[in-house]
Amino acid sequence: MMINEEVGELWETIKFEVGGLGNNYGEGADRKLLIGSGNKEAPVLFIGDDPDLYQNDDLKVASGSSGEFLIKLCDIEGIVPDEYYITTLAKKDCKFRDYMEDDQNELLEMLDMQIALINPQIVVALGSEAARALLKREVKIGEERGKFIQWIGGIKLLLTYDVNFVKKSRNDSGKKSKVAIEFWSDLKLLKEEMSKGYGEEEY
């Protein structure tokens, strides 16, 4: 088990490495660094491609944002903030596709390091971009969501929709939105799996 000082240094390495990426893209230098937010020792890690999922490392979110939407749904389902950490592929106020290929590869290396440091029991990929980055292949979220995949290091991987896509679908179609209902179902599945995991540890 790494001591806290070593862990802290590795987190700082991630910040340093990501901070230097994309700065030669014109406006890239002005992008806010957003490494992640929440409990760094949480059993659940959400990974998305949406800079609006959080504003700082304490789960601060903007009013009406996708981050607020996700946290509210987690609260309703009984998934408390201490049980998860949220990060993005880009780790800045932009999307993964805004980076050039070499920088994208560097970001994925930093994501791997982040996953290793958090060591979650469950990773939730929010949207096809995040799923593609983790599985290294094209992913059809509509067909592959809603079930757990045994992933690297014994981690369970759950694929679901991009939160902003869900939020927009619900705004357009109301509570009966198919996408919103399926996303809600995926969060219920996540909660069930978390409970199962804790039960095994307590036993």
Side-chain angles (χ1 to χ4, degrees), residues 89 108 111-112 123 125 127-141 144-145 147-152 155-159:
L89 300 177
L108 293 179
L111 179 63
D112 286 344
V123 168
S128 57
E129 195 72 58
R132 185 186 305 121
L134 295 171
L135 292 173
K136 316 296 185 192
R137 62 173 174 81
E138 290 300 315
V139 175
K140 294 181 179 179
I141 289 293
E144 299 186 52
R145 53 147 291 277
K147 57 181 180 292
F148 282 97
I149 299 169
Q150 284 298 328
W151 196 49
I152 56 172
I155 294 172
K156 294 172 181 176
L157 178 63
L158 177 64
L159 310 183

Side-chain angles (χ1 to χ4, degrees), residues 10-41:
L10 289 170
W11 277 101
E12 287 303 314
T13 297
I14 294 173
K15 286 184 183 178
F16 178 78
E17 294 295 336
V18 174
L21 300 176
N23 289 346
N24 59 337
Y25 303 169
E27 295 179 3
D30 299 327
R31 290 172 179 157
K32 182 181 177 184
L33 194 62
L34 299 163
I35 294 298
S37 192
N39 178 11
K40 291 177 179 175
E41 298 179 349

